[in-house]
Amino acid sequence: MKRVYDEPSHTDGFRVLVDRLWPRGVRKEDLPYDVWCKALAPSADLRRWFGHKADRWDEFRDAYLHELNASDQQAAIKDLGAQAGKAGYRRITLLYAARDPKLNHAVILANVLRQVLID
């Protein structure tokens, strides 16, 4: 995982933007990424409700995991793994814009990706 504002690295592998909205202050041509996977971001309603408030984290995590368990989301996760593999990458770096590196949806999504793609 990496913030979109961080410098890219040659070790990033397949770089996937996982925010529903384009990050503020970043021009599309200035962000090196392989795919923008809006579908795996939290729903707009859930994202707005959470508002990155720490006291809502547990409830947000549960609701987002529920969204990710939908069959179309599971298919999107597997497709993402296939895209990375087809591009020749074993590593996927999730790009997010949130300020908090521990309380954001990419943390949850990374754990789900590990379970689905590695197990």
Side-chain angles (χ1 to χ4, degrees):
M1 296 182 330
K2 188 177 270 192
R3 286 191 79 212
V4 296
Y5 308 104
D6 295 339
E7 286 295 318
S9 167
H10 69 283
T11 62
D12 286 348
F14 197 67
R15 294 171 51 91
V16 181
L17 178 60
V18 293
D19 285 343
R20 188 164 298 276
L21 303 175
W22 190 261
R24 287 185 185 162
V26 178
R27 295 182 348 190
K28 288 187 180 179
E29 58 272 10
D30 291 341
L31 179 63
Y33 68 101
D34 295 294
V35 65
W36 182 9
C37 200
K38 296 180 206 178
L40 290 177
S43 65
D45 288 342
L46 181 58
R47 180 184 54 79
R48 280 191 294 269
W49 171 83
F50 175 46
H52 298 282
K53 295 180 179 161
D55 62 325
R56 295 182 178 176
W57 174 251
D58 290 338
E59 199 172 344
F60 170 76
R61 182 193 59 231
D62 293 345
Y64 184 41
L65 284 170
H66 181 72
E67 288 183 355
L68 290 173
N69 280 325
S71 61
D72 60 330
Q73 296 295 73
Q74 290 295 303
I77 289 168
K78 290 177 183 172
D79 183 55
L80 180 58
Q83 286 180 54
K86 201 178 247 188
Y89 293 106
R90 292 182 45 116
R91 178 182 300 245
I92 296 174
T93 297
L94 301 180
L95 303 173
Y96 63 93
R99 288 187 183 130
D100 191 326
K102 295 179 183 162
L103 298 180
N104 72 73
H105 72 284
V107 172
I108 299 164
L109 181 57
N111 287 329
V112 170
L113 285 170
R114 282 185 199 101
Q115 290 174 351
V116 172
L117 299 178
I118 296 174
D119 292 347

